[in-house]
PDB file of all heavy atoms in Angstrom:
ATOM      1  N   ILE A1548     141.161 106.196 142.127  1.00  0.00           N
ATOM      2  CA  ILE A1548     139.952 105.831 141.587  1.00  0.00           C
ATOM      3  C   ILE A1548     139.382 106.775 140.546  1.00  0.00           C
ATOM      4  O   ILE A1548     138.626 106.368 139.683  1.00  0.00           O
ATOM      5  CB  ILE A1548     138.915 105.784 142.748  1.00  0.00           C
ATOM      6  CG1 ILE A1548     139.293 104.420 143.638  1.00  0.00           C
ATOM      7  CG2 ILE A1548     137.510 105.554 142.344  1.00  0.00           C
ATOM      8  CD1 ILE A1548     138.373 104.246 144.847  1.00  0.00           C
ATOM      9  N   PRO A1635     126.868  98.886 141.516  1.00  0.00           N
ATOM     10  CA  PRO A1635     128.273  99.307 141.375  1.00  0.00           C
ATOM     11  C   PRO A1635     128.612 100.667 141.955  1.00  0.00           C
ATOM     12  O   PRO A1635     129.757 100.828 142.499  1.00  0.00           O
ATOM     13  CB  PRO A1635     128.581  99.292 139.902  1.00  0.00           C
ATOM     14  CG  PRO A1635     127.289  99.306 139.165  1.00  0.00           C
ATOM     15  CD  PRO A1635     126.297  98.748 140.230  1.00  0.00           C
ATOM     16  N   VAL A1638     129.176 100.024 145.679  1.00  0.00           N
ATOM     17  CA  VAL A1638     130.483  99.345 145.809  1.00  0.00           C
ATOM     18  C   VAL A1638     131.623 100.364 145.751  1.00  0.00           C
ATOM     19  O   VAL A1638     132.561 100.404 146.575  1.00  0.00           O
ATOM     20  CB  VAL A1638     130.632  98.273 144.812  1.00  0.00           C
ATOM     21  CG1 VAL A1638     132.145  97.722 144.821  1.00  0.00           C
ATOM     22  CG2 VAL A1638     129.735  97.188 144.930  1.00  0.00           C
ATOM     23  N   LEU A1639     131.441 101.342 144.820  1.00  0.00           N
ATOM     24  CA  LEU A1639     132.538 102.380 144.594  1.00  0.00           C
ATOM     25  C   LEU A1639     132.565 103.282 145.846  1.00  0.00           C
ATOM     26  O   LEU A1639     133.560 103.543 146.413  1.00  0.00           O
ATOM     27  CB  LEU A1639     132.228 103.194 143.403  1.00  0.00           C
ATOM     28  CG  LEU A1639     132.867 104.580 143.276  1.00  0.00           C
ATOM     29  CD1 LEU A1639     134.399 104.467 143.237  1.00  0.00           C
ATOM     30  CD2 LEU A1639     132.430 105.313 142.091  1.00  0.00           C
ATOM     31  N   ALA A1640     131.385 103.726 146.327  1.00  0.00           N
ATOM     32  CA  ALA A1640     131.233 104.588 147.402  1.00  0.00           C
ATOM     33  C   ALA A1640     131.855 104.015 148.686  1.00  0.00           C
ATOM     34  O   ALA A1640     132.515 104.711 149.467  1.00  0.00           O
ATOM     35  CB  ALA A1640     129.894 105.089 147.654  1.00  0.00           C
ATOM     36  N   SER A1641     131.537 102.775 148.933  1.00  0.00           N
ATOM     37  CA  SER A1641     132.123 102.102 150.090  1.00  0.00           C
ATOM     38  C   SER A1641     133.571 101.810 150.153  1.00  0.00           C
ATOM     39  O   SER A1641     134.191 101.686 151.203  1.00  0.00           O
ATOM     40  CB  SER A1641     131.335 100.740 150.345  1.00  0.00           C
ATOM     41  OG  SER A1641     131.573  99.902 149.384  1.00  0.00           O
ATOM     42  N   GLY A1642     134.183 101.821 148.964  1.00  0.00           N
ATOM     43  CA  GLY A1642     135.620 101.569 148.895  1.00  0.00           C
ATOM     44  C   GLY A1642     136.463 102.795 148.603  1.00  0.00           C
ATOM     45  O   GLY A1642     137.695 102.692 148.511  1.00  0.00           O
ATOM     46  N   LEU A1643     135.796 103.933 148.567  1.00  0.00           N
ATOM     47  CA  LEU A1643     136.577 105.207 148.136  1.00  0.00           C
ATOM     48  C   LEU A1643     137.570 105.602 149.271  1.00  0.00           C
ATOM     49  O   LEU A1643     138.735 105.897 148.887  1.00  0.00           O
ATOM     50  CB  LEU A1643     135.515 106.287 147.907  1.00  0.00           C
ATOM     51  CG  LEU A1643     136.156 107.585 147.401  1.00  0.00           C
ATOM     52  CD1 LEU A1643     136.830 107.383 145.959  1.00  0.00           C
ATOM     53  CD2 LEU A1643     135.056 108.616 147.203  1.00  0.00           C
ATOM     54  N   ILE A1644     137.206 105.672 150.473  1.00  0.00           N
ATOM     55  CA  ILE A1644     138.056 106.060 151.514  1.00  0.00           C
ATOM     56  C   ILE A1644     138.422 104.811 152.320  1.00  0.00           C
ATOM     57  O   ILE A1644     138.000 104.533 153.359  1.00  0.00           O
ATOM     58  CB  ILE A1644     137.362 107.097 152.539  1.00  0.00           C
ATOM     59  CG1 ILE A1644     136.836 108.259 151.610  1.00  0.00           C
ATOM     60  CG2 ILE A1644     138.381 107.705 153.464  1.00  0.00           C
ATOM     61  CD1 ILE A1644     137.907 109.072 150.797  1.00  0.00           C
ATOM     62  N   THR A1645     139.336 104.018 151.667  1.00  0.00           N
ATOM     63  CA  THR A1645     139.862 102.860 152.331  1.00  0.00           C
ATOM     64  C   THR A1645     141.364 102.732 152.067  1.00  0.00           C
ATOM     65  O   THR A1645     141.892 103.565 151.349  1.00  0.00           O
ATOM     66  CB  THR A1645     139.140 101.592 151.815  1.00  0.00           C
ATOM     67  OG1 THR A1645     139.310 101.633 150.231  1.00  0.00           O
ATOM     68  CG2 THR A1645     137.671 101.509 152.080  1.00  0.00           C
ATOM     69  N   THR A1653     139.776  93.000 147.995  1.00  0.00           N
ATOM     70  CA  THR A1653     139.846  94.229 148.975  1.00  0.00           C
ATOM     71  C   THR A1653     138.796  95.256 148.477  1.00  0.00           C
ATOM     72  O   THR A1653     138.345  95.363 147.311  1.00  0.00           O
ATOM     73  CB  THR A1653     141.180  94.921 148.899  1.00  0.00           C
ATOM     74  OG1 THR A1653     141.474  95.454 147.611  1.00  0.00           O
ATOM     75  CG2 THR A1653     142.336  93.948 149.279  1.00  0.00           C
ATOM     76  N   PRO A1654     138.201  96.026 149.434  1.00  0.00           N
ATOM     77  CA  PRO A1654     137.179  97.108 149.083  1.00  0.00           C
ATOM     78  C   PRO A1654     137.750  98.031 147.996  1.00  0.00           C
ATOM     79  O   PRO A1654     136.980  98.434 147.152  1.00  0.00           O
ATOM     80  CB  PRO A1654     136.980  97.833 150.370  1.00  0.00           C
ATOM     81  CG  PRO A1654     137.322  96.735 151.435  1.00  0.00           C
ATOM     82  CD  PRO A1654     138.342  95.948 150.873  1.00  0.00           C
ATOM     83  N   PHE A1655     139.081  98.355 148.023  1.00  0.00           N
ATOM     84  CA  PHE A1655     139.628  99.250 147.147  1.00  0.00           C
ATOM     85  C   PHE A1655     139.671  98.665 145.679  1.00  0.00           C
ATOM     86  O   PHE A1655     139.313  99.446 144.795  1.00  0.00           O
ATOM     87  CB  PHE A1655     141.031  99.632 147.551  1.00  0.00           C
ATOM     88  CG  PHE A1655     141.675 100.690 146.700  1.00  0.00           C
ATOM     89  CD1 PHE A1655     141.142 102.020 146.642  1.00  0.00           C
ATOM     90  CD2 PHE A1655     142.855 100.387 145.958  1.00  0.00           C
ATOM     91  CE1 PHE A1655     141.909 102.957 145.871  1.00  0.00           C
ATOM     92  CE2 PHE A1655     143.444 101.361 145.192  1.00  0.00           C
ATOM     93  CZ  PHE A1655     142.992 102.542 145.074  1.00  0.00           C
ATOM     94  N   HIS A1656     140.000  97.457 145.571  1.00  0.00           N
ATOM     95  CA  HIS A1656     140.080  96.750 144.343  1.00  0.00           C
ATOM     96  C   HIS A1656     138.623  96.660 143.741  1.00  0.00           C
ATOM     97  O   HIS A1656     138.413  96.971 142.543  1.00  0.00           O
ATOM     98  CB  HIS A1656     140.614  95.294 144.555  1.00  0.00           C
ATOM     99  CG  HIS A1656     140.602  94.524 143.259  1.00  0.00           C
ATOM    100  ND1 HIS A1656     141.534  94.716 142.191  1.00  0.00           N
ATOM    101  CD2 HIS A1656     139.751  93.590 142.676  1.00  0.00           C
ATOM    102  CE1 HIS A1656     141.338  93.908 141.193  1.00  0.00           C
ATOM    103  NE2 HIS A1656     140.256  93.180 141.484  1.00  0.00           N
ATOM    104  N   ARG A1657     137.626  96.413 144.603  1.00  0.00           N
ATOM    105  CA  ARG A1657     136.213  96.359 144.147  1.00  0.00           C
ATOM    106  C   ARG A1657     135.816  97.741 143.589  1.00  0.00           C
ATOM    107  O   ARG A1657     134.992  97.918 142.701  1.00  0.00           O
ATOM    108  CB  ARG A1657     135.321  95.812 145.181  1.00  0.00           C
ATOM    109  CG  ARG A1657     135.548  94.349 145.475  1.00  0.00           C
ATOM    110  CD  ARG A1657     134.396  93.710 146.297  1.00  0.00           C
ATOM    111  NE  ARG A1657     134.285  94.293 147.605  1.00  0.00           N
ATOM    112  CZ  ARG A1657     134.936  93.855 148.636  1.00  0.00           C
ATOM    113  NH1 ARG A1657     135.714  92.703 148.589  1.00  0.00           N
ATOM    114  NH2 ARG A1657     134.808  94.321 149.793  1.00  0.00           N
ATOM    115  N   ALA A1658     136.288  98.798 144.359  1.00  0.00           N
ATOM    116  CA  ALA A1658     135.804 100.141 144.025  1.00  0.00           C
ATOM    117  C   ALA A1658     136.390 100.549 142.679  1.00  0.00           C
ATOM    118  O   ALA A1658     135.698 101.229 141.926  1.00  0.00           O
ATOM    119  CB  ALA A1658     136.408 101.064 145.113  1.00  0.00           C
ATOM    120  N   ILE A1659     137.678 100.165 142.355  1.00  0.00           N
ATOM    121  CA  ILE A1659     138.302 100.475 141.111  1.00  0.00           C
ATOM    122  C   ILE A1659     137.466  99.758 139.955  1.00  0.00           C
ATOM    123  O   ILE A1659     137.211 100.356 138.972  1.00  0.00           O
ATOM    124  CB  ILE A1659     139.782 100.087 141.069  1.00  0.00           C
ATOM    125  CG1 ILE A1659     140.483 101.030 141.961  1.00  0.00           C
ATOM    126  CG2 ILE A1659     140.307 100.136 139.561  1.00  0.00           C
ATOM    127  CD1 ILE A1659     142.017 100.663 142.095  1.00  0.00           C
ATOM    128  N   LYS A1660     137.173  98.467 140.212  1.00  0.00           N
ATOM    129  CA  LYS A1660     136.369  97.733 139.155  1.00  0.00           C
ATOM    130  C   LYS A1660     135.055  98.420 138.857  1.00  0.00           C
ATOM    131  O   LYS A1660     134.608  98.508 137.790  1.00  0.00           O
ATOM    132  CB  LYS A1660     136.197  96.387 139.514  1.00  0.00           C
ATOM    133  CG  LYS A1660     137.421  95.398 139.423  1.00  0.00           C
ATOM    134  CD  LYS A1660     137.153  93.967 139.838  1.00  0.00           C
ATOM    135  CE  LYS A1660     136.225  93.362 138.729  1.00  0.00           C
ATOM    136  NZ  LYS A1660     136.036  91.950 139.038  1.00  0.00           N
ATOM    137  N   ALA A1661     134.364  98.813 140.009  1.00  0.00           N
ATOM    138  CA  ALA A1661     133.056  99.420 139.891  1.00  0.00           C
ATOM    139  C   ALA A1661     133.160 100.742 139.155  1.00  0.00           C
ATOM    140  O   ALA A1661     132.373 101.112 138.329  1.00  0.00           O
ATOM    141  CB  ALA A1661     132.472  99.581 141.295  1.00  0.00           C
ATOM    142  N   SER A1662     134.239 101.635 139.443  1.00  0.00           N
ATOM    143  CA  SER A1662     134.380 102.888 138.928  1.00  0.00           C
ATOM    144  C   SER A1662     134.645 102.714 137.437  1.00  0.00           C
ATOM    145  O   SER A1662     134.089 103.548 136.565  1.00  0.00           O
ATOM    146  CB  SER A1662     135.445 103.637 139.599  1.00  0.00           C
ATOM    147  OG  SER A1662     136.730 103.104 139.188  1.00  0.00           O
ATOM    148  N   ASN A1663     135.379 101.711 136.976  1.00  0.00           N
ATOM    149  CA  ASN A1663     135.693 101.477 135.582  1.00  0.00           C
ATOM    150  C   ASN A1663     134.353 101.029 134.890  1.00  0.00           C
ATOM    151  O   ASN A1663     134.105 101.539 133.680  1.00  0.00           O
ATOM    152  CB  ASN A1663     136.706 100.385 135.400  1.00  0.00           C
ATOM    153  CG  ASN A1663     138.042 100.762 135.902  1.00  0.00           C
ATOM    154  OD1 ASN A1663     138.363 102.011 135.819  1.00  0.00           O
ATOM    155  ND2 ASN A1663     138.885  99.820 136.144  1.00  0.00           N
ATOM    156  N   PHE A1664     133.493 100.249 135.514  1.00  0.00           N
ATOM    157  CA  PHE A1664     132.242  99.981 134.900  1.00  0.00           C
ATOM    158  C   PHE A1664     131.314 101.128 134.690  1.00  0.00           C
ATOM    159  O   PHE A1664     130.760 101.397 133.609  1.00  0.00           O
ATOM    160  CB  PHE A1664     131.503  98.874 135.679  1.00  0.00           C
ATOM    161  CG  PHE A1664     130.007  98.607 135.260  1.00  0.00           C
ATOM    162  CD1 PHE A1664     129.801  97.719 134.199  1.00  0.00           C
ATOM    163  CD2 PHE A1664     129.008  99.227 135.949  1.00  0.00           C
ATOM    164  CE1 PHE A1664     128.466  97.549 133.816  1.00  0.00           C
ATOM    165  CE2 PHE A1664     127.708  99.025 135.570  1.00  0.00           C
ATOM    166  CZ  PHE A1664     127.415  98.087 134.452  1.00  0.00           C
ATOM    167  N   ILE A1665     131.173 101.929 135.688  1.00  0.00           N
ATOM    168  CA  ILE A1665     130.340 103.118 135.768  1.00  0.00           C
ATOM    169  C   ILE A1665     130.865 104.078 134.619  1.00  0.00           C
ATOM    170  O   ILE A1665     130.105 104.651 133.934  1.00  0.00           O
ATOM    171  CB  ILE A1665     130.268 103.875 137.151  1.00  0.00           C
ATOM    172  CG1 ILE A1665     129.573 102.823 138.091  1.00  0.00           C
ATOM    173  CG2 ILE A1665     129.507 105.056 137.060  1.00  0.00           C
ATOM    174  CD1 ILE A1665     129.648 103.334 139.577  1.00  0.00           C
ATOM    175  N   ARG A1666     132.211 104.298 134.608  1.00  0.00           N
ATOM    176  CA  ARG A1666     132.797 105.251 133.708  1.00  0.00           C
ATOM    177  C   ARG A1666     132.537 104.822 132.307  1.00  0.00           C
ATOM    178  O   ARG A1666     132.154 105.714 131.463  1.00  0.00           O
ATOM    179  CB  ARG A1666     134.340 105.335 133.989  1.00  0.00           C
ATOM    180  CG  ARG A1666     134.947 106.534 133.387  1.00  0.00           C
ATOM    181  CD  ARG A1666     136.470 106.532 133.764  1.00  0.00           C
ATOM    182  NE  ARG A1666     136.655 106.937 135.150  1.00  0.00           N
ATOM    183  CZ  ARG A1666     136.988 106.140 136.069  1.00  0.00           C
ATOM    184  NH1 ARG A1666     137.257 104.771 135.833  1.00  0.00           N
ATOM    185  NH2 ARG A1666     137.197 106.490 137.233  1.00  0.00           N
TER     186      ARG A1666
END
Side-chain angles (χ1 to χ4, degrees):
I1548 288 177
V1638 171
L1639 165 61
S1641 64
L1643 186 59
I1644 309 296
T1645 56
T1653 63
F1655 184 67
H1656 179 79
R1657 291 194 294 268
I1659 289 178
K1660 286 185 67 177
S1662 72
N1663 290 337
F1664 171 82
I1665 297 169
R1666 197 176 286 107

